[in-house]
Amino acid sequence: MISYTDDMSTLEASQLRGFFVGWPAPPSPEQHLAVLRGSYYAVVAMEGDGRAVGFINMISDGVLTAFIPWLEVLPEHQGQGIGRELVNRALKAAESFYSVDLLCDPQLQPYYEKLGMRPVPGMGLRNWSALRG
């Protein structure tokens, strides 16, 4: 059974293991926890044993704009609607905003389109060395 929480105060770094599969320099669980706690809004999907199996976070000015930098569900839990639920909760929290943006790889665009998002042009910069703690 999966439950969802937006209370990051009780979450521990040890519950955030196994994420960022395939990243060249994944953030540590401690960095991950700091990101979730520092976000405008975050939701974590939890198994009954207290292990996190998915998460989403959103940064925002709290007035008109928001950005979703990370959404991830552990590989063994994908395809169960967890990601959809996480996105729906984040979009609900931002329903009064003018814009909610995210960047994703082209192969993920159809997934987000099913959730009501549309492609927009964008640019980005990645500094992988910042993740090495």
Side-chain angles (χ1 to χ4, degrees):
M1 172 145 173
I2 302 297
S3 62
Y4 298 86
T5 183
D6 60 5
D7 180 3
M8 299 300 113
S9 68
T10 61
L11 194 63
E12 297 178 14
S14 62
Q15 295 171 285
L16 298 170
R17 304 238 181 253
F19 290 103
F20 307 104
V21 174
W23 282 45
S28 69
E30 292 75 19
Q31 287 175 312
H32 186 181
L33 180 59
V35 166
L36 293 175
R37 286 185 176 164
S39 295
Y40 174 80
Y41 183 76
V43 181
V44 177
M46 307 291 290
E47 278 188 318
D49 64 1
R51 177 182 177 214
V53 298
F55 69 90
I56 192 169
N57 75 306
M58 180 168 53
I59 55 178
S60 174
D61 57 22
V63 180
L64 292 175
T65 62
F67 178 72
I68 298 173
W70 289 349
L71 165 68
E72 189 167 346
V73 175
L74 293 177
E76 63 270 22
H77 291 276
Q78 292 175 3
Q80 300 174 25
I82 295 169
R84 174 181 294 275
E85 181 64 21
L86 291 167
V87 171
N88 286 341
R89 287 172 183 248
L91 294 179
K92 176 79 173 152
E95 68 186 357
S96 67
F97 294 165
Y98 165 72
S99 65
V100 178
D101 298 321
L102 66 82
L103 296 175
C104 66
D105 294 328
Q107 68 269 22
L108 294 174
Q109 285 181 334
Y111 175 80
Y112 290 107
E113 286 176 341
K114 289 179 192 173
L115 300 175
M117 302 188 98
R118 299 290 170 251
V120 294
M123 301 295 292
L125 175 67
R126 299 290 184 267
N127 178 5
W128 293 108
S129 65
L131 297 172
R132 296 177 197 220

